[in-house]
Amino acid sequence: MPAKILFIGPMGAGKTTAIAAVSDVAPIATDVLNTDRTQCDKPTTTVAMDYGEIQLEDDMVVLYGIPGQERFDFMWSILAEGALGAVLLLNHERPQARQDLLDYLDAFPELSERGALVVAVGRAGATPGQALQPYREALGARQMALPVFAADVRRKTDVLLLIETLIANAEMNAWT
Ligand SMILES: Nc1nc2c(ncn2[C@@H]2O[C@H](COP(=O)(O)OP(=O)(O)O)[C@@H](O)[C@H]2O)c(=O)[nH]1
Ligand SMILES: [Mg+2]
């Protein structure tokens, strides 16, 4: 059985981009014209999900990107079933990015409880160490110790690091 990894996070955070950056097969995206430019000003948005596949050394991994708009959240728990974990993508330029983090932790309670998440902060700017601080604090306030990275999901190496960290954590947790 291939491992299943989700990409979660708000519209425009880069879920579709991340899967396209690493997938060995032509990624399947279901983007349509974005009619909700108040949430995020980009021309298209994902309505059903994204799908990609990647063969790592020992693991075949399937990648799913959730549709970011809340009117599709009925699909989130279906997609999360049996997942190894999720990459939670944030856009640091969104004023509500810290709240986005909390909202997506709440939306995926089973993954949060298992600690099966990696947080990736996009557009973190020139001083990423500083940019990550509020997210680390928000996790700390919830007694959660999750890996938090600055990442540019347009870069394959960045996305691979996120996936590999998630797999390494899952393997470690399997022993404890
Ligand atoms: N400048 C900049 N653009 C980024 C970065 N990460 C993602 N993007 C862009 O942000 C957009 C994200 O859109 P998309 O992948 O459709 O987001 P989704 O709604 O989460 O699927 C794409 O146009 C990416 O090229 C980043 O770190 N810097
Ligand atoms: Mg998308």
Side-chain angles (χ1 to χ4, degrees), residues 10-17 31 42 46 50 122-123 151-154:
M11 211 169 143
K15 302 174 294 293
T16 300
T17 304
D31 282 17
K42 59 173 192 154
T46 309
D50 302 291
R123 300 175 176 89
D152 183 339
V153 293
R154 296 170 300 178

Side-chain angles (χ1 to χ4, degrees), residues 33-51:
L33 285 178
N34 179 16
T35 56
D36 193 1
R37 290 268 180 135
T38 56
Q39 266 294 314
C40 178
D41 192 19
K42 59 173 192 154
T44 63
T45 187
T46 309
V47 284
M49 60 181 186
D50 302 291
Y51 177 83

Side-chain angles (χ1 to χ4, degrees), residues 3-8 18-19 22 54 56 59 61-64 80 82-89 105 108 110-112 114-120 144-149 157-174:
K4 174 160 112 180
I5 290 179
L6 303 187
F7 286 76
I8 66 176
I19 290 174
V22 295
I54 180 170
L56 298 177
D59 315 87
V61 183
V62 296
L63 310 169
Y64 287 92
L84 179 97
V87 176
L88 200 170
L89 296 177
L105 292 176
F108 291 87
E110 194 266 334
L111 296 179
S112 293
R114 278 199 287 129
L117 290 158
V118 169
V119 179
M144 292 180 81
L146 299 177
V148 182
F149 295 100
T157 48
D158 282 25
V159 182
L160 281 176
L161 175 68
L162 299 168
I163 293 170
E164 281 161 2
T165 303
L166 202 52
I167 292 172
N169 274 6
E171 281 170 2
M172 201 171 65
N173 290 341

